């Protein structure tokens, strides 16, 4: 099999003084090594205000920049100062805005952030910066769960929350690119909600069974076709039943889980829908939200 072409776009990770930065650094470093590309560690500090108060404002900005440099020094120490890592201090009106701008300027392959400090261990709970990043990023955004129980590469499979929609296909395409580099198989999972959660109101028992049977057949056919359409990768697929978010959140047998944003919104930007937004607060494994094609 022909080796995948080199990735020239960098992986960018947002760092701050919070404990969850270590999780983000670990995930971003793994992603950059896997893709064979540069890692950029970025810390955002406040930009001078247009209505600043002279010396006092300037002193405060200088203090915040010094704090950002200390965060970078800690990140350098955490990573062991490997080659192919850049360290950037970015001045902006907000952390999310600064990371957005940097990702656009550098045409990032992936933007990585940590979970919030209040997240339970091994669960995702994105803070305000991650929430804002996920509301319009031009590249896939990965969120590392708090205190990742196992580093990526342990389970040996890459998961895709698959539905046959433009955003679902975008997630599959992005996951397949990573799988070709790691040699890992893909696991495509579609979840059918149980009982009346998936059914029109007042169908009746017979019609209910017929509806569910038809839905399962449709989803299975979509999964089969998707698996056959991915060249150069071993693809497994499963149709599961249950609560969609909880079932996907418990996919601990994958290294990382890819999902789409949703089927509408600005092209090539992340714009969270109901499942992806709730999954970010429940998933046990790193989650990558992919902009729709």
């Amino acid at each position: 099999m022909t080796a995948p072409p080199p990735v020239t776009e960098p992986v960018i990770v947002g760092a701050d003084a919070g404990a969850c930065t270590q999780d983000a650094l670990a995930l971003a470093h793994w992603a950059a090594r896997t893709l064979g590309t540069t890692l950029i560690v970025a810390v955002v500090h406040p930009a001078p205000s247009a209505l600043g108060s002279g010396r006092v404002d300037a002193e405060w900005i200088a203090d915040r920049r010094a704090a950002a440099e200390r965060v970078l020094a800690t990140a350098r120490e955490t990573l062991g100062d490997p080659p192919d890592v850049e360290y950037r201090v970015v001045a902006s009106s907000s952390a999310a805005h600064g990371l957005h701008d940097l990702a656009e300027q550098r045409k990032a392959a992936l933007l990585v952030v940590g979970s919030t400090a209040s997240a339970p261990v091994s669960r995702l709970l994105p803070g305000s910066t991650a929430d804002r990043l996920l509301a319009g990023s031009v590249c896939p955004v990965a969120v590392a769960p708090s205190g990742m129980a196992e580093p990526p590469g342990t389970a040996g499979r890459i998961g895709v929350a698959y539905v046959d929609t433009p955003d679902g296909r975008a997630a599959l395409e992005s996951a397949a690119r990573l799988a070709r580099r790691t040699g890992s198989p893909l696991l495509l999972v579609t979840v059918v909600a149980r009982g009346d959660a998936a059914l029109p109101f007042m169908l009746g028992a017979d019609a209910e069974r017929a509806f569910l049977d038809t839905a399962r057949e449709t989803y299975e056919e979509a999964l089969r076709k998707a698996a056959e359409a991915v060249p150069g990768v071993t693809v497994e697929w499963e149709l599961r039943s249950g609560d969609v978010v909880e079932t996907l959140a418990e996919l601990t047998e994958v290294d990382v889980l890819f999902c789409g944003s949703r089927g509408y919104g600005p092209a090539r930007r992340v714009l969270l829908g109901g499942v992806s937004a709730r999954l970010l607060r429940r998933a046990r494994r790193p989650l990558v939200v992919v902009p729709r094609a």
Side-chain angles (χ1 to χ4, degrees):
M1 183 177 67
T2 304
V7 175
T8 57
E9 301 85 358
V11 171
I12 297 176
V13 56
D16 60 23
C20 292
T21 287
Q22 290 192 1
D23 303 316
L25 288 171
L27 179 59
H29 193 205
W30 170 81
R33 289 199 319 268
T34 300
L35 296 174
T37 191
T38 301
L39 173 63
I40 300 176
V41 182
V43 182
V44 182
H45 73 88
S49 171
L51 300 176
S53 55
R55 181 180 176 185
V56 174
D57 183 66
E59 289 176 349
W60 183 74
I61 294 296
D63 177 75
R64 293 299 85 204
R65 181 180 176 90
E69 295 284 2
R70 289 193 293 272
V71 171
L72 283 184
T74 301
R76 191 188 300 267
E77 183 178 348
T78 299
L79 292 172
D81 199 16
D84 296 323
V85 179
E86 297 179 23
Y87 300 89
R88 292 284 305 272
V89 173
V90 179
S92 184
S93 57
S94 73
H97 193 270
L99 292 173
H100 268 309
D101 286 348
L102 183 61
E104 288 198 87
Q105 290 165 9
R106 298 298 297 269
K107 296 180 171 56
L110 182 68
L111 188 54
V112 183
V113 291
S115 188
T116 183
S118 60
V121 173
S122 294
R123 292 281 188 176
L124 295 174
L125 188 61
S128 58
T129 296
D131 282 335
R132 291 169 185 163
L133 283 173
L134 288 160
S137 177
V138 295
C139 67
V141 178
V143 183
S146 175
M148 284 188 295
E150 296 174 335
T154 302
R157 289 198 288 186
I158 296 170
V160 183
Y162 185 75
V163 286
D164 190 20
T165 61
D167 57 324
R169 291 189 288 273
L172 174 56
E173 182 181 346
S174 187
R177 283 197 294 269
L178 179 61
R180 292 186 187 100
R181 291 194 161 274
T182 61
S184 303
L186 288 176
L187 175 62
L188 278 56
V189 178
T190 297
V191 182
V192 180
R194 285 198 189 101
D196 59 7
L199 301 173
F201 181 61
M202 296 293 288
L203 260 180
D206 291 340
E208 177 179 313
R209 283 191 294 271
F211 179 91
L212 288 175
D213 288 344
T214 301
R216 293 183 68 86
E217 291 174 4
T218 300
Y219 290 136
E220 286 178 352
E221 182 64 18
L223 284 165
R224 190 176 296 110
K225 287 182 177 179
E228 293 171 351
V230 182
V233 178
T234 300
V235 184
E236 307 163 9
W237 59 267
E238 294 182 13
L239 183 63
R240 301 187 181 187
S241 61
D243 179 86
V244 177
V245 173
E246 286 298 332
T247 301
L248 292 173
E250 296 301 325
L251 279 175
T252 54
E253 65 267 42
V254 300
D255 289 332
V256 59
L257 178 62
F258 283 73
C259 73
S261 48
R262 64 185 183 193
Y264 57 94
R268 299 200 180 280
R269 286 188 181 266
V270 169
L271 188 60
L272 291 187
V275 171
S276 51
R278 287 182 290 144
L279 188 55
L280 277 164
R281 288 159 173 79
R282 302 290 187 87
R284 292 183 178 273
R285 304 299 291 157
L287 183 68
V288 180
V289 184
V290 180
R292 73 185 184 95

